[in-house]
Amino acid sequence: MNDLLRTAELTVIGQVTTASNVTLVCEAPLEDGTELRVVYKPVRGERPLWDFPDGTLAGREVASYLVSDALGWGVIPETILREGPLGAGMVQRWIDVVEDGEGPDPVDLCPAGQVPDGFREVLRALDPAGHPVSLIHSEDPQLYRMAVLDVLINNADRKGGHALAGQDGRVYGVDHGICLHTEPKLRTVLWGWAGEAVDGELLTDITALVKALPGELGERLAEHLTDAEIDALEARGRALLENPVLPLPGSQRPIPWPAF
């Protein structure tokens, strides 16, 4: 898939207008007569942020994918950095999602306290109409891996809409442009497992990740991150291994706004 992402001739067919940065939908014809659909975020369309260096968000998306891929968790769709119709940018495989009405989303709202089986309540609040609601997320093991990944990559923006239920039965995480900062930035809607022990199988994968960072993986990450950012990733991995517990909210803004 990565080879197709690198070589396909992209044609813009639409734009995600709700995104903070320029986010385009592109297609490319394949030899078998089908179309490859991707998300393309050009670097020139990135909105400047006070706490992340300008022009680095696309690279952080790629680096986050490289971490997910090295762990073997498949959380993030295939993601590369390449030239596109508007210059260099992030290109990521498009995910066809389950249609609305076929059950709750991985992260959703429900009437306050009426949490469905297989879900966890994160908080209670008022919706825009003033009705009491609960913010909930699924207990799906795939979403659990996403929560652990967010701790490792220091995800500052895990909104509910960034967790997608794919038609292939998998749960994917998207939008990782503001990750991998050296300072603690974790903001997520996936706090339902806070304070619980990390599964042993995941710790085995994290151990392998930490061991791989001084080698080829670190070299690939260095194309998108600073040495300090890679060192901070390794430190977060070692911290989870030494204290294998998912963290509790530790800031005044533990949940991104808006939450979806």
Side-chain angles (χ1 to χ4, degrees):
M1 174 57 71
N2 282 354
D3 289 341
L4 288 175
L5 293 179
R6 293 185 189 284
T7 60
E9 184 175 349
L10 303 180
T11 299
V12 177
I13 62 169
Q15 181 173 357
V16 180
T17 57
T18 55
S20 300
N21 301 295
V22 174
T23 302
L24 303 173
V25 182
C26 297
E27 284 188 344
L30 300 179
E31 293 182 357
D32 62 3
T34 61
E35 297 279 348
L36 172 68
R37 179 169 291 188
V38 301
V39 174
Y40 163 54
K41 299 181 182 179
V43 172
R44 68 171 67 179
E46 294 178 4
R47 183 182 65 178
L49 299 171
W50 70 269
D51 53 349
F52 283 81
D54 292 352
T56 67
L57 305 192
R60 293 175 191 279
E61 296 240 30
V62 178
S64 297
Y65 162 71
L66 291 174
V67 173
S68 170
D69 186 55
L71 289 163
W73 294 352
V75 172
I76 302 175
E78 293 88 341
T79 310
I80 64 166
L81 189 69
R82 57 160 284 184
E83 288 294 321
L86 296 179
M90 181 224 68
V91 172
Q92 184 176 81
R93 177 169 63 89
W94 176 268
I95 299 299
D96 291 314
V97 299
V98 174
E99 298 296 330
D100 291 339
E102 297 184 16
D105 292 329
V107 182
D108 214 334
L109 298 175
C110 71
Q114 299 180 29
V115 180
D117 290 342
F119 279 74
R120 297 193 177 206
E121 184 180 55
V122 177
L123 59 78
R124 297 187 185 185
L126 300 177
D127 69 10
H131 301 130
V133 295
S134 292
L135 174 65
I136 59 175
H137 67 65
S138 169
E139 294 181 321
D140 190 312
Q142 298 176 92
L143 200 66
Y144 176 78
R145 286 196 295 270
M146 190 184 302
V148 179
L149 176 66
D150 283 346
V151 175
L152 288 169
I153 63 175
N154 196 18
N155 192 346
D157 195 37
R158 175 63 73 199
K159 293 182 170 70
H162 297 171
L164 307 180
Q167 292 182 6
D168 58 2
R170 296 174 60 184
V171 178
Y172 295 94
V174 297
D175 286 325
H176 298 92
I178 51 175
C179 293
L180 294 159
H181 202 286
T182 56
E183 300 174 5
K185 296 280 185 182
L186 183 61
R187 290 192 293 271
T188 175
V189 294
L190 303 180
W191 288 113
W193 292 287
E196 296 187 9
V198 179
D199 287 351
E201 290 183 2
L202 301 191
L203 293 175
T204 299
D205 297 333
I206 295 170
T207 299
L209 172 77
V210 169
K211 290 181 178 179
L213 283 172
E216 181 183 355
L217 175 60
E219 294 175 359
R220 297 177 68 189
L221 289 172
E223 298 176 13
H224 311 290
L225 303 174
T226 66
D227 289 346
E229 288 165 342
I230 297 173
D231 289 344
L233 167 63
E234 181 178 350
R236 289 190 295 271
R238 292 189 182 280
L240 264 185
L241 294 175
E242 293 170 4
N243 181 29
V245 175
L246 283 167
L248 296 168
S251 71
Q252 295 182 343
R253 287 189 57 205
I255 293 177
W257 185 259
F260 288 87

